[in-house]
């Protein structure tokens, strides 16, 4: 339930917005999206270990922060 809530909050920040204009995102690459999402999820769910972002074209990025 908490994860769904956090993802909905992130989605509302990103969906139907120009990603170049999202504060804290930087260039809208898969890598930056992964880091951005991880940072937001980890605030509420500290035990999150990684985030994966993929595109319909098959591109994929997995972010696993170093300990």
């Amino acid at each position: 339930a908490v994860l769904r809530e956090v993802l909905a909050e992130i989605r509302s920040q990103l969906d139907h917005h120009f990603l170049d204009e999202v504060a804290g995102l930087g260039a809208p690459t898969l890598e930056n999206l992964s880091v951005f999402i991880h940072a937001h999820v980890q605030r509420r769910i500290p035990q999150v270990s990684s985030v994966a972002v993929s595109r319909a074209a098959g591109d994929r990025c997995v972010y696993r922060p170093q300990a």
Side-chain angles (χ1 to χ4, degrees), residues 6-19:
V6 173
L7 292 178
E9 291 170 6
I10 295 167
R11 188 175 293 120
S12 72
Q13 292 178 3
L14 301 175
D15 200 23
H16 300 291
H17 291 89
F18 290 109
L19 296 180

Side-chain angles (χ1 to χ4, degrees), residues 22-42:
V22 174
L25 178 59
T29 64
L30 290 178
E31 292 84 358
N32 287 344
L33 281 166
S34 298
V35 172
F36 179 87
I37 293 168
H38 182 272
H40 283 74
V41 171
Q42 193 172 44

Side-chain angles (χ1 to χ4, degrees), residues 38 42 49 63-67:
H38 182 272
Q42 193 172 44
S49 62
Y63 175 69
R64 291 182 187 95
Q66 295 181 352

